[in-house]
Amino acid sequence: THTKILLTSLSAMVAETATFPIDLAKTRLQLHSESLSCPTNAFRVAAEILRQQGPLGLYQGLSPAILRHLFYTPLRIVGYENLRNFAVGNGSISLPSKALLGGVSGVIAQVVASPADLVKVRMQADSRMVSQGQQSRYVGPFDAFRKIVHAEGFGGLWKGVFPNIQRAFLVNMGELACYDHAKRFVVQNHIAADNAYSHTLASIMSGLSATALSCPADVVKTRMMNQVAAKESEVMYKSSFDCLVKTVKIEGLRALWKGFFPTWARLGPWQFVFWVSYEKFRQYAGLSSF
């Protein structure tokens, strides 16, 4: 278990570092959404960051993102594998059961990692403030932790935890169950051996499944977060459920999958880099495939 925790942490660091600029561009795009004068797509946002801050600007907020994954990824991956192995010991396990185990593992991991997630989002927002000539609120991740606790109390570190839990349940339900099931399907049907090819196919399916399931929760989470800056009398949504109902009522069911491509553009490459790296590290460590 200790080796698996180390390997998941290492793989998550590789995946996060490789795909972080995509996440930063997506976050900036969400923050820009209400301003017509700001860039309207991820490529223009990335170009603006490069022009104003240089290549290192694309990695503003990477340290809290990696810190988050040192808690989040080992808990959900190793937790799921242990739960799955326990369930398999009592007989074969179905896809819905795997989905439930993946969702539960994701919820537990998100609760633990939520403070680091909050710091990551705030530091990414900070980099936008700096690019607009404003003073940065935080010197680094630990300074952000200290200032948030001082200003908002210890509970302030868990702001937004409930919409994040909903999203974590759906993402991990799609990702873990789909990767596990797809890889076994590919191997057992002799489409490919248990190698990088089958891991790549399974990770692609995993990314699509996780995006399709999590996109509605992502839309609700983003809209709830975007209204925080508004005056109390102007708040449109009273809760996540209220936001969900009003979005469907006003814009239709398809509105829940707005931003599917940029969400997949972030989740898809991350899944690919993580799973291929993790399976390769397990092989080097003498462990069996996931």
Side-chain angles (χ1 to χ4, degrees):
T1 299
H2 290 91
T3 304
K4 289 174 184 177
I5 289 172
L6 177 63
L7 295 181
T8 50
S9 298
L10 184 59
S11 303
M13 288 171 65
V14 172
E16 192 66 20
T17 303
T19 63
F20 187 79
I22 302 172
D23 186 47
L24 180 63
K26 187 193 81 168
T27 302
R28 289 280 193 95
L29 200 58
Q30 289 173 341
L31 292 170
H32 286 164
S33 61
E34 295 179 357
S35 175
L36 296 175
S37 62
C38 290
T40 53
N41 64 57
F43 295 107
R44 288 180 181 174
V45 169
E48 181 190 46
I49 294 169
L50 283 170
R51 182 174 58 83
Q52 293 181 348
Q53 298 173 261
L56 289 179
L58 293 171
Y59 288 91
Q60 185 74 30
L62 177 63
S63 52
I66 288 179
L67 184 63
R68 170 185 179 259
H69 276 288
L70 292 179
F71 295 98
Y72 179 65
T73 301
L75 277 170
R76 68 190 184 92
I77 301 294
V78 179
Y80 170 81
E81 188 175 4
N82 287 339
L83 288 172
R84 182 196 65 188
N85 293 343
F86 175 78
V88 167
N90 297 325
S92 60
I93 181 169
S94 64
L95 180 59
S97 298
K98 289 178 181 178
L100 179 61
L101 294 179
V104 170
S105 301
V107 167
I108 294 169
Q110 183 59 48
V111 170
V112 174
S114 200
D117 205 13
L118 178 73
V119 168
K120 182 193 83 167
V121 170
R122 292 207 181 177
M123 287 192 69
Q124 285 180 333
D126 240 24
S127 66
R128 177 172 174 253
M129 291 170 63
V130 171
S131 70
Q132 294 174 343
Q134 300 176 40
Q135 189 173 356
S136 176
R137 293 173 295 178
Y138 312 115
V139 177
F142 295 105
D143 180 57
F145 275 116
R146 184 180 60 80
K147 286 180 177 175
I148 290 169
V149 171
H150 179 74
E152 304 170 44
F154 192 69
L157 292 171
W158 275 269
K159 273 189 177 177
V161 69
F162 291 110
N164 276 334
I165 281 175
Q166 294 163 9
R167 183 178 180 277
F169 183 88
L170 294 168
V171 166
N172 286 282
M173 183 173 74
E175 176 195 342
L176 298 176
C178 186
Y179 178 83
D180 191 6
H181 214 72
K183 191 184 78 169
R184 276 164 174 69
F185 178 85
V186 168
V187 173
Q188 289 171 2
N189 287 275
H190 308 292
I191 298 170
D194 193 352
N195 54 25
Y197 183 59
S198 62
H199 303 158
T200 299
L201 287 175
S203 68
I204 291 170
M205 293 302 298
S206 171
L208 286 170
S209 175
T211 305
L213 286 169
S214 68
C215 214
D218 216 20
V219 169
V220 170
K221 185 187 95 167
T222 300
R223 293 190 177 198
M224 290 292 292
M225 288 175 71
N226 280 349
Q227 73 172 353
V228 173
K231 294 178 182 178
E232 200 65 34
S233 59
E234 297 174 359
V235 169
M236 184 175 181
Y237 311 115
K238 297 175 183 176
S239 65
S240 297
F241 182 73
D242 182 51
C243 178
L244 179 72
V245 171
K246 285 181 178 176
T247 300
V248 173
K249 188 176 180 180
I250 297 170
E251 303 172 54
L253 195 62
R254 291 179 63 183
L256 295 176
W257 279 270
K258 278 185 175 179
F260 178 89
F261 179 74
T263 303
W264 176 80
R266 162 63 172 158
L267 269 176
W270 197 98
Q271 301 282 345
F272 167 71
V273 176
F274 173 78
W275 284 113
V276 173
S277 300
Y278 183 47
E279 294 279 19
K280 188 61 69 176
F281 287 147
R282 284 177 71 112
Q283 183 184 341
Y284 290 151
L287 296 173
S288 60
S289 181
F290 178 79

